[in-house]
Structures are given as C-alpha cells and as structure tokens.
Amino acid sequence: MSVSAAQIDVESLRDRFRRAAEAAAAAGVDALLVSPGSDLRYLLGADGESHERLTCLVLPAAGSAAEPALVVPKLEYPGYAGVPTDDLGVHVATWVDGEDPHRLVADLLKAGAPKSVAVADLMPALHTLALRDALPDARQSLAGPVLRELRMRKDAGEIEALRKAGAAIDRVHARMGEWLRPGRTEAEVGADIAAAIVAEGHTVAEFVIVGSGPNGASPHHGVSDRVIEKGDVVVVDIGGPVPEGYNSDSTRTYAVGVPGFDDVVGTYAVLQAAQQAAVDAAGPGVTAEAVDAAARDVIADAGFGEYFVHRTGHGIGLDVHEDPYIVSGNDLVLEVGMAFSVEPGIYLPGRWGARIEDIVVVTEEGAVRLNTRPHELAVLPS
Amino acid sequence: MSVSAAQIDVESLRDRFRRAAEAAAAAGVDALLVSPGSDLRYLLGADGESHERLTCLVLPAAGSAAEPALVVPKLEYPGYAGVPTDDLGVHVATWVDGEDPHRLVADLLKAGAPKSVAVADLMPALHTLALRDALPDARQSLAGPVLRELRMRKDAGEIEALRKAGAAIDRVHARMGEWLRPGRTEAEVGADIAAAIVAEGHTVAEFVIVGSGPNGASPHHGVSDRVIEKGDVVVVDIGGPVPEGYNSDSTRTYAVGVPGFDDVVGTYAVLQAAQQAAVDAAGPGVTAEAVDAAARDVIADAGFGEYFVHRTGHGIGLDVHEDPYIVSGNDLVLEVGMAFSVEPGIYLPGRWGARIEDIVVVTEEGAVRLNTRPHELAVLPS
C-alpha cells in the first residue's frame, strides 16, 4: 500500500471532517483514531504507507478541547505532501524510531480528557493495545459504525469516481470475446482479464471470478484449471479500484456457443427479470431489504428460490464491500447518494450458474445503473 | 489474500505447535489467538482468506485444560482442506453468518479459564475488541513477541524456501540490462522488473525500487516518472514471496554507462567493503548490533558515516521485515538458522546513492549469502 493523495477538493474534506466530528459526538465518542485504510483515505484523501509504524489521524469529537492531528512517521510524511493539513486545521506530529507514537496520541488528546475513543476497524492489535495502554482511562470502541454513516452517503465527486470505475469495467466485459473460448482454462482467461482490468484504467485487478460450467454454480469460486468447453455457461465477476480509490464490480454471464443445457434460456430470463425488478424497486425512501425482496420474489415465484443463496447486494465505494448491505433484515432506508450492487444469481449445483451484477446509485428519480453492458445472456463464438 | 496450504510436513507443524504452546506458557499467556497473517501461515501452513469474517487459530498454552481449535467461516473452510488438523489435534469449529465467532472462541477456551490471551499483532480492531468483550476476564497482549522467538530460528525447509527466493530474485537482477536504459522512466523500468519478478518464480512483485540519479539518495524512494539518463547511478531494490510464502529481497546498484560523478567508483568501493565486513562479522554467538557496527565502522572510517542513514539489516522469512533486526542497540545473540539482510548504503543528497543487499543465513561456519550476483558496481550499456 502506498500513500496517494487523491484529487478531493478542500471543501469536501472539510465537510467530511465536520460531519465525522459531529457523528463521533452523537455516538458518545470523544475522539476517532483512524489508522491506514479506506477510512483514512476517506477523511484525508490519502492512505497510509505501512501498518508497522503508527500513522493515525486523531479527530476529536465536536465540542472537544483537543485539536485534530495527524501522527505520522517522519520518513513517511513526504507521502502526505498533497494533503491540505493546514486548510483542514490538522496539526502534523511526526515521530522517528525510538519515540513512542502511542504516547504522542495520548498527549495530543489530553486537553479533551477522553473517556471513550473509537479506533479504525482495521487497526492492527499492535497499535490498538498500545493505545489502550497509553490511554488507560479511555474505553475503546470501533470507528467503523461512526464513519459508515458518512461513507454510505456519497457526494458528487465520489459518484463520478464510481461512474468512471463502472465504465472501465464495462470496457473489460465488452472485450470478453477476445479471451473466453473453448479449450482455454479459467485461469488463462482470468489472467487475460486481469491484465485488461489494469489496461482499461484500474490500478489493480482486485478480483477475477471465471466460473465455467459447474463451477459457475459456486458463488465463491475464483478461477481454476478447468478447461472451458463448448456449450459452457460462464459467470464472470470482476472489478478493482480506479486511481481515485473507488471500486468497480460487475458480473455478466456468457454462453460459449449454444448453451449445453435446455433450461438455460428460460432460467436466465427469470434472473434477468429479477435483477431488473430490484433496480426498479430501489430508490429514496425504500428499505434495503425491500430491494432484496424484489429480486428474491421474482426468483422464488419462478420456483428457483432455493438456488439464490446469497444477499442481493452490497454497498461499494473505497471498499468493494461496505454499507449499505442489500439483505433481508436490513431496514435501512435508502437515500440519494447511496451506491450498491444489485446482483441476484441462480446456482444449479453440479450443472451451471448465472449472475447479473450492476452497481447502481440512488437518485431522486430512483436507482441509476453505473454499468451499462447488455443484460442478455451473451453468446460468444465457440 | 487467498488461502494456500504450503507443503510443510506434519512433523514440522507439530513441532511448531508444541514450541508455541511452551513459549506461551513461558510468557505467562494462557492462549494464543492467531488471525490471518504470517503467524497463522507459520503455525498452520495456510493463511486466511479475509479479515472481514473471523478466522482464528486458538492455541492454548502448554498445560492448559483447553484444546487447540481452528475457528473458521464455513464458506472459507474448503481452503483449509490441505491443513492436517487431525494430525495436529486441532478441533475445527466452523461458523456461519448470524453466529457469533468471538463467543465461539470464548467457549472453546472456557475449560482453561484464561486470565491472559495474546492476539496476533495484525488482528484488526474489529476482532480484537469483540474478543475483549467475549473474554472480559482475560487481559489481552500481543502474540508477536511470543511467536518471534520461534519464527526467527528457521528450520531446514524454511531456509530452502529462502534459498529458492534468493535464486529467483538473482535471476531478475541478472536480466537488468534488458530494461535499465537511458531514455526510459523509472516507472517503465519498474513495470518490466515487476513482471520479471513474477515470471522468475515469485507469486507477486511485493516491492520494486528504482532510484535513479538523485532519487537513489533517498532510501525510501519507489519509482517515479524521472527519465533515466546516461551516467546515472541507479539503486534497484526488489523482492517478493515465492509460493512457499518466504520472501526475497536484494539490492544491486547499477551505472548506466560511465558514472557521471567522479566520486562514484571510490565511494562504492567503501560500500562494497562495508557490506563484506558485515557478512564476515556475522555468525553464531555474535550480536546483531556487532554486525551493524562492522558495516558502519568501515563507512564511518572512510568519512561517510553521516550518509549511512538506516540500520544494516532486518530479518526475513514469511514477512519481508521481521526479527532479528541488525541495528545498533540490539544485543540479540545470533544463532544458527537466523536469516536477515545485510544492506548498507551511502546516500549523497541531491547527487547519487548506492546500496548493496544480500540475504544471509547463519550457519556453524558463519553467515552464508543466499544472493550470489556480483557485488561490483555493474555498468550497463548506455
């Protein structure tokens, strides 16, 4: 992981700081302690370099007497040159080997006499326990639940980055016929796709699923040495981050020549209708679980309920999986600016599987797709 | 990160389990709680798949009434098929979404009534705090200090894997003339090197430093868009893991044609002598800081002391940086089986820099290099 300052305007960052400080106060937390990861990138426009040495954004709750500060190893500080710390009112406190960065965090918070601090969900125990010892009077909780309230409501810049990611992964799907052919292994096809993911504008191919034939019926399959055959149905689920840090994630299902099972066309039509129903259902004021139900009902009504074995979707942004989760039991009410996947699937064990996945963003007019490749079963030359 | 079971024989794993349980007892810890990362890979021969859902090896200290167990999400368990849990006496406890895996860990430890547990250094706060709440009577400490005592003493299989990694990165250095030429950017050269690192047998190009001209004087430089010029001195520091999980890490310094500064040849000779002195000094019974001093004294005596701005080396194994650290103040006595880098450098700000790095392993006869490319300044065609 390397530091990289994204192009986020100062006003947006200042707004995120303000809202995070207010959310912390509302949660009864005296300060957020944010180590490298997507939470740090969200708040600062830059991520950290390593987990070994402590980098930590110290963000006191609204009303605290303490001031925001960035604790960072001196040798990693050049990587934050693009971060507008002055404009954000963030004091930079560098440290060198031999100094105690956890003590430094405690000193920076002293004015606020914290009784409760929230640490980043991914903070390594190495730092979590050292901060526990440096701040013995402060009960530790997780910062994730506080920050997810902000992160799940995307601003215009974030949606633009998601749109860019969606277009980039669509270009990869558009080229699938170059690689997906009988006689090649899933792993060979996957390697070509991974290279194209990068070539089309992602910084890395974060995940590549090529589930051919019976492997398509296993939603967690990656790639294997199985040789693709004429007549296979193939699930291709791919994505990764663009330079802004925001992720793509899109699935299309392909047939290599005429599908080898008679039930493919009819069953796939059910799946396509289910995916459309969920996108149609999504919009401001609708619950996450209602979107899940919209897809699930179509599939269940057609008799395939037991073959749709996962949630309908997940939020997406700086993380591939984040809130809001589109799942039964989640009564979160969707708002304008929320972005998530809509990806129902039908998996027939030992035979074949199919999934259709688009990222959508909630607007006043309903959910808008950021992936625009055709949803029909794409029959490739065999 | 994906699960991958390495080929480690059951006897070695059983021995590691026994020694870890004894080291835990000696440290006054009732159990080790090891989440995914190199500690888990060391103990199990397989790493975890994700940080989101808890995977945790529960390893009670020697003498505890509790039994070893592997807590793992049911959907990730197939990835552990190659782990000899039965032979190791490890109970496998799978869990599914909706169940509480942290409670499961607490239940598994109940027979031992733990008052003190050590969690993996990299365990995310997400799990550290949940385990704190599930085991309110157990004080948490770090497992790293317990396990490093084992991990820094490599067995024959581990040294063989390090030897393989060393040979693989040597093959990349041997091909440097294919890529390192005037008119190309550091980033272009770095991309070619990264591809070769994988092509020559690594699973990933973990790090690639191409520090040309003045950038070579910055030890933490990665790659940049600087165009390499005729006469540049270029520091190339590269490495990554082989499939067994063990890492390579080797630096050579190249000149693109005749060096553009008059002091390069003489100064480089000092560096070469310093690196040799440190390798000569290393051996069983010698302290880590004595090895550091051996290199540092040669450089200081020649008047370049202030330009050698980092430690002489670091241990290497499943992590690129691990114990033992070859640094002033570390009075650890080296033993047969310890492996570490010997990498002095001389950095002349704004002008040029040089570093020579080999991995060595301590044997009865002294330190043996695992990198065997020539140490002379390599002058490439310009």
Side-chain angles (χ1 to χ4, degrees), chain A residues 121 123 125-126 132-133 140, chain B residues 121 123 125-126 132 139-140:
Chain A
D121 289 19
M123 182 183 282
L126 190 66
R132 173 197 68 187
D133 295 344
Q140 292 180 329
Chain B
D121 290 19
M123 182 183 282
L126 191 65
R132 173 198 68 188
R139 173 80 179 171
Q140 292 180 329

Side-chain angles (χ1 to χ4, degrees), chain B residues 206-221:
Chain B
E206 185 78 22
F207 55 92
V208 176
I209 292 176
V210 181
S212 69
N215 291 340
S218 174
H220 280 87
H221 179 77

Side-chain angles (χ1 to χ4, degrees), chain A residues 4-99:
Chain A
S4 77
Q7 301 303 314
I8 307 175
D9 62 277
V10 176
E11 276 316 309
S12 293
L13 290 179
R14 197 177 280 146
D15 185 55
R16 292 179 192 177
F17 261 59
R18 182 185 53 74
R19 287 187 294 141
E22 285 171 2
V29 164
D30 295 317
L32 302 172
L33 302 179
V34 185
S35 48
S38 50
D39 283 338
L40 187 67
R41 184 156 188 170
Y42 179 78
L43 289 170
L44 225 46
D47 202 350
E49 192 159 286
S50 78
H51 290 301
E52 200 175 333
R53 295 183 173 92
L54 182 71
T55 292
C56 184
L57 175 65
V58 178
L59 189 56
S64 168
E67 300 287 340
L70 177 65
V71 172
V72 60
K74 191 182 178 81
L75 62 85
E76 294 179 22
Y77 181 59
Y80 294 88
V83 177
T85 46
D86 286 351
D87 291 330
L88 293 171
V90 173
H91 168 66
V92 175
T94 61
W95 62 278
V96 297
D97 288 351
E99 294 180 332

Side-chain angles (χ1 to χ4, degrees), chain B residues 136-226:
Chain B
D137 298 328
R139 173 80 179 171
Q140 292 180 329
S141 60
L142 294 175
V146 177
L147 292 171
R148 80 169 59 127
E149 294 300 318
L150 283 69
R151 286 182 51 190
M152 97 183 143
R153 296 170 175 87
K154 267 78 179 175
D155 64 30
E158 295 181 279
I159 290 168
E160 192 48 41
L162 283 170
R163 188 179 297 280
K164 179 177 168 182
I169 207 68
D170 282 359
R171 289 194 296 272
V172 179
H173 271 298
R175 295 175 53 191
M176 201 55 60
E178 296 177 29
W179 314 303
L180 191 53
R181 288 192 303 271
R184 307 194 74 204
T185 67
E186 291 174 358
E188 289 167 350
V189 173
D192 288 341
I193 293 172
I197 288 174
V198 173
E200 294 293 352
H202 298 83
T203 58
V204 67
E206 185 78 22
F207 55 92
V208 176
I209 292 176
V210 181
S212 69
N215 291 340
S218 174
H220 280 87
H221 179 77
V223 296
S224 77
D225 291 330
R226 182 181 183 277

Side-chain angles (χ1 to χ4, degrees), chain A residues 19-298:
Chain A
R19 287 187 294 141
E22 285 171 2
V29 164
D30 295 317
L32 302 172
L33 302 179
V34 185
S35 48
S38 50
D39 283 338
L40 187 67
R41 184 156 188 170
Y42 179 78
L43 289 170
L44 225 46
D47 202 350
E49 192 159 286
S50 78
H51 290 301
E52 200 175 333
R53 295 183 173 92
L54 182 71
T55 292
C56 184
L57 175 65
V58 178
L59 189 56
S64 168
E67 300 287 340
L70 177 65
V71 172
V72 60
K74 191 182 178 81
L75 62 85
E76 294 179 22
Y77 181 59
Y80 294 88
V83 177
T85 46
D86 286 351
D87 291 330
L88 293 171
V90 173
H91 168 66
V92 175
T94 61
W95 62 278
V96 297
D97 288 351
E99 294 180 332
D100 180 351
H102 307 97
R103 182 77 258 151
L104 188 53
V105 170
D107 290 344
L108 287 164
L109 283 174
K110 202 156 40 182
K115 292 275 172 280
S116 165
V117 295
V119 301
D121 289 19
L122 296 184
M123 182 183 282
L126 190 66
H127 300 308
T128 308
L129 298 189
L131 287 169
R132 173 197 68 187
D133 295 344
L135 289 158
D137 297 329
R139 173 79 178 172
Q140 292 180 329
S141 60
L142 294 175
V146 177
L147 291 171
R148 81 169 57 127
E149 294 300 318
L150 282 70
R151 286 182 51 190
M152 109 183 133
R153 295 169 175 88
K154 267 77 178 175
D155 63 30
E158 294 181 280
I159 289 167
E160 191 49 42
L162 283 169
R163 188 178 298 279
K164 179 177 168 182
I169 207 68
D170 282 359
R171 289 194 296 273
V172 179
H173 272 298
R175 295 175 54 191
M176 202 55 60
E178 295 178 29
W179 315 303
L180 191 54
R181 289 194 301 270
R184 305 193 75 203
T185 67
E186 292 174 356
E188 288 167 349
V189 173
D192 288 340
I193 293 172
I197 289 173
V198 173
E200 295 293 352
H202 299 83
T203 58
V204 68
E206 186 78 20
F207 56 92
V208 176
I209 291 176
V210 181
S212 69
N215 291 340
S218 173
H220 280 87
H221 179 77
V223 297
S224 78
D225 290 331
R226 182 180 183 278
V227 175
I228 292 162
E229 299 171 14
K230 189 170 168 169
D232 275 355
V233 175
V234 186
V235 176
V236 179
D237 185 348
I238 53 181
V242 289
E244 291 80 356
Y246 288 77
N247 287 281
S248 66
D249 186 1
S250 178
T251 308
R252 288 293 182 269
T253 299
Y254 300 87
V256 182
V258 176
F261 291 100
D262 287 342
D263 59 344
V264 172
V265 172
T267 309
Y268 187 89
V270 172
L271 179 64
Q272 195 178 336
Q275 207 262 354
Q276 185 65 47
V279 174
D280 289 344
V286 177
T287 64
E289 64 184 350
V291 176
D292 180 80
R296 204 166 298 279
D297 288 350
V298 172

Side-chain angles (χ1 to χ4, degrees), chain B residues 276-287:
Chain B
Q276 184 64 47
V279 174
D280 289 344
V286 176
T287 64

